[in-house]
mmCIF file of all heavy atoms in Angstrom:
data_model
loop_
_atom_site.group_PDB
_atom_site.id
_atom_site.type_symbol
_atom_site.label_atom_id
_atom_site.label_comp_id
_atom_site.label_asym_id
_atom_site.label_seq_id
_atom_site.Cartn_x
_atom_site.Cartn_y
_atom_site.Cartn_z
ATOM 1 N N ILE A 98 -6.023 2.678 -9.295
ATOM 2 C CA ILE A 98 -5.602 4.074 -9.335
ATOM 3 C C ILE A 98 -5.255 4.362 -10.724
ATOM 4 O O ILE A 98 -4.344 3.855 -11.323
ATOM 5 C CB ILE A 98 -4.299 4.185 -8.398
ATOM 6 C CG1 ILE A 98 -4.658 3.671 -7.013
ATOM 7 C CG2 ILE A 98 -3.861 5.620 -8.286
ATOM 8 C CD1 ILE A 98 -5.730 4.397 -6.283
ATOM 9 N N ARG A 134 -9.656 5.681 -9.254
ATOM 10 C CA ARG A 134 -9.332 6.892 -8.430
ATOM 11 C C ARG A 134 -7.980 7.433 -9.045
ATOM 12 O O ARG A 134 -7.373 6.826 -9.908
ATOM 13 C CB ARG A 134 -9.118 6.431 -6.990
ATOM 14 C CG ARG A 134 -10.241 5.765 -6.329
ATOM 15 C CD ARG A 134 -11.399 6.740 -6.004
ATOM 16 N NE ARG A 134 -12.394 6.086 -5.155
ATOM 17 C CZ ARG A 134 -13.449 5.449 -5.646
ATOM 18 N NH1 ARG A 134 -13.575 5.258 -6.974
ATOM 19 N NH2 ARG A 134 -14.287 4.942 -4.896
ATOM 20 N N LEU A 135 -7.660 8.560 -8.627
ATOM 21 C CA LEU A 135 -6.509 9.272 -9.138
ATOM 22 C C LEU A 135 -5.279 9.234 -8.196
ATOM 23 O O LEU A 135 -4.119 8.929 -8.600
ATOM 24 C CB LEU A 135 -6.775 10.700 -9.504
ATOM 25 C CG LEU A 135 -7.643 10.973 -10.648
ATOM 26 C CD1 LEU A 135 -8.057 12.419 -10.875
ATOM 27 C CD2 LEU A 135 -6.906 10.540 -11.988
ATOM 28 N N ASP A 136 -5.501 9.474 -6.960
ATOM 29 C CA ASP A 136 -4.408 9.654 -5.984
ATOM 30 C C ASP A 136 -4.364 8.463 -5.045
ATOM 31 O O ASP A 136 -5.325 8.177 -4.234
ATOM 32 C CB ASP A 136 -4.587 10.937 -5.151
ATOM 33 C CG ASP A 136 -3.490 11.119 -4.091
ATOM 34 O OD1 ASP A 136 -2.363 11.450 -4.578
ATOM 35 O OD2 ASP A 136 -3.663 10.859 -2.910
ATOM 36 N N ALA A 137 -3.255 7.720 -5.072
ATOM 37 C CA ALA A 137 -3.148 6.446 -4.300
ATOM 38 C C ALA A 137 -3.189 6.714 -2.777
ATOM 39 O O ALA A 137 -3.961 6.055 -2.119
ATOM 40 C CB ALA A 137 -1.944 5.632 -4.758
ATOM 41 N N ALA A 138 -2.277 7.529 -2.357
ATOM 42 C CA ALA A 138 -2.117 7.770 -0.967
ATOM 43 C C ALA A 138 -3.377 8.155 -0.223
ATOM 44 O O ALA A 138 -3.756 7.632 0.728
ATOM 45 C CB ALA A 138 -0.993 8.604 -0.639
ATOM 46 N N THR A 139 -4.006 9.201 -0.844
ATOM 47 C CA THR A 139 -5.183 9.751 -0.268
ATOM 48 C C THR A 139 -6.346 8.822 -0.378
ATOM 49 O O THR A 139 -7.091 8.571 0.555
ATOM 50 C CB THR A 139 -5.699 11.077 -0.974
ATOM 51 O OG1 THR A 139 -4.552 11.956 -0.814
ATOM 52 C CG2 THR A 139 -6.902 11.614 -0.356
ATOM 53 N N THR A 140 -6.465 8.004 -1.492
ATOM 54 C CA THR A 140 -7.558 7.047 -1.667
ATOM 55 C C THR A 140 -7.458 5.994 -0.630
ATOM 56 O O THR A 140 -8.522 5.620 -0.052
ATOM 57 C CB THR A 140 -7.513 6.469 -3.098
ATOM 58 O OG1 THR A 140 -7.766 7.563 -3.991
ATOM 59 C CG2 THR A 140 -8.489 5.353 -3.202
ATOM 60 N N TYR A 141 -6.264 5.406 -0.518
ATOM 61 C CA TYR A 141 -6.114 4.321 0.458
ATOM 62 C C TYR A 141 -6.341 4.717 1.826
ATOM 63 O O TYR A 141 -6.972 4.004 2.701
ATOM 64 C CB TYR A 141 -4.769 3.629 0.252
ATOM 65 C CG TYR A 141 -4.610 2.837 -0.995
ATOM 66 C CD1 TYR A 141 -3.661 2.988 -1.919
ATOM 67 C CD2 TYR A 141 -5.682 1.858 -1.307
ATOM 68 C CE1 TYR A 141 -3.551 2.273 -3.060
ATOM 69 C CE2 TYR A 141 -5.564 1.057 -2.495
ATOM 70 C CZ TYR A 141 -4.614 1.286 -3.367
ATOM 71 O OH TYR A 141 -4.467 0.572 -4.529
ATOM 72 N N ALA A 142 -5.845 5.936 2.271
ATOM 73 C CA ALA A 142 -6.070 6.371 3.549
ATOM 74 C C ALA A 142 -7.482 6.467 3.947
ATOM 75 O O ALA A 142 -7.964 6.098 4.974
ATOM 76 C CB ALA A 142 -5.361 7.712 3.735
ATOM 77 N N LEU A 143 -8.297 7.049 3.043
ATOM 78 C CA LEU A 143 -9.763 7.341 3.238
ATOM 79 C C LEU A 143 -10.501 5.922 3.334
ATOM 80 O O LEU A 143 -11.286 5.661 4.219
ATOM 81 C CB LEU A 143 -10.314 8.133 2.154
ATOM 82 C CG LEU A 143 -9.802 9.604 2.147
ATOM 83 C CD1 LEU A 143 -10.453 10.327 0.937
ATOM 84 C CD2 LEU A 143 -10.387 10.295 3.461
ATOM 85 N N ILE A 144 -10.148 5.024 2.305
ATOM 86 C CA ILE A 144 -10.915 3.668 2.210
ATOM 87 C C ILE A 144 -10.529 2.911 3.555
ATOM 88 O O ILE A 144 -11.458 2.319 4.118
ATOM 89 C CB ILE A 144 -10.594 3.045 0.990
ATOM 90 C CG1 ILE A 144 -11.132 3.824 -0.155
ATOM 91 C CG2 ILE A 144 -11.063 1.599 1.045
ATOM 92 C CD1 ILE A 144 -10.892 3.219 -1.525
ATOM 93 N N ILE A 145 -9.259 2.821 3.857
ATOM 94 C CA ILE A 145 -8.928 2.020 5.053
ATOM 95 C C ILE A 145 -9.451 2.600 6.334
ATOM 96 O O ILE A 145 -9.850 1.914 7.165
ATOM 97 C CB ILE A 145 -7.327 1.901 5.069
ATOM 98 C CG1 ILE A 145 -6.837 1.032 3.872
ATOM 99 C CG2 ILE A 145 -6.918 1.271 6.354
ATOM 100 C CD1 ILE A 145 -5.378 1.027 3.671
ATOM 101 N N ALA A 146 -9.480 3.937 6.465
ATOM 102 C CA ALA A 146 -9.968 4.556 7.608
ATOM 103 C C ALA A 146 -11.604 4.214 7.693
ATOM 104 O O ALA A 146 -12.083 4.048 8.793
ATOM 105 C CB ALA A 146 -9.783 5.991 7.612
ATOM 106 N N LYS A 157 -1.128 -0.089 -6.285
ATOM 107 C CA LYS A 157 -0.584 1.026 -5.591
ATOM 108 C C LYS A 157 -0.743 0.967 -4.147
ATOM 109 O O LYS A 157 -0.517 1.956 -3.366
ATOM 110 C CB LYS A 157 -1.209 2.243 -6.093
ATOM 111 C CG LYS A 157 -0.940 2.599 -7.679
ATOM 112 C CD LYS A 157 0.354 2.797 -7.935
ATOM 113 C CE LYS A 157 0.583 3.161 -9.452
ATOM 114 N NZ LYS A 157 1.996 3.328 -9.890
ATOM 115 N N ASP A 160 1.883 2.292 -1.870
ATOM 116 C CA ASP A 160 1.974 3.748 -1.652
ATOM 117 C C ASP A 160 1.548 4.084 -0.240
ATOM 118 O O ASP A 160 1.867 5.206 0.282
ATOM 119 C CB ASP A 160 1.270 4.576 -2.605
ATOM 120 C CG ASP A 160 1.868 4.518 -4.054
ATOM 121 O OD1 ASP A 160 2.921 3.807 -4.198
ATOM 122 O OD2 ASP A 160 1.412 5.222 -4.971
ATOM 123 N N TYR A 161 0.750 3.188 0.342
ATOM 124 C CA TYR A 161 0.267 3.515 1.681
ATOM 125 C C TYR A 161 0.901 2.662 2.771
ATOM 126 O O TYR A 161 1.223 3.181 3.765
ATOM 127 C CB TYR A 161 -1.248 3.122 1.706
ATOM 128 C CG TYR A 161 -1.975 3.562 3.082
ATOM 129 C CD1 TYR A 161 -2.347 4.848 3.308
ATOM 130 C CD2 TYR A 161 -2.224 2.561 3.921
ATOM 131 C CE1 TYR A 161 -2.941 5.177 4.425
ATOM 132 C CE2 TYR A 161 -2.823 2.995 5.170
ATOM 133 C CZ TYR A 161 -3.181 4.239 5.421
ATOM 134 O OH TYR A 161 -3.753 4.497 6.577
#
Side-chain angles (χ1 to χ4, degrees):
I98 304 301
R134 304 290 187 274
L135 286 173
D136 180 74
T139 301
T140 296
Y141 287 128
L143 291 174
I144 292 178
I145 290 171
K157 302 295 184 181
D160 286 6
Y161 184 81

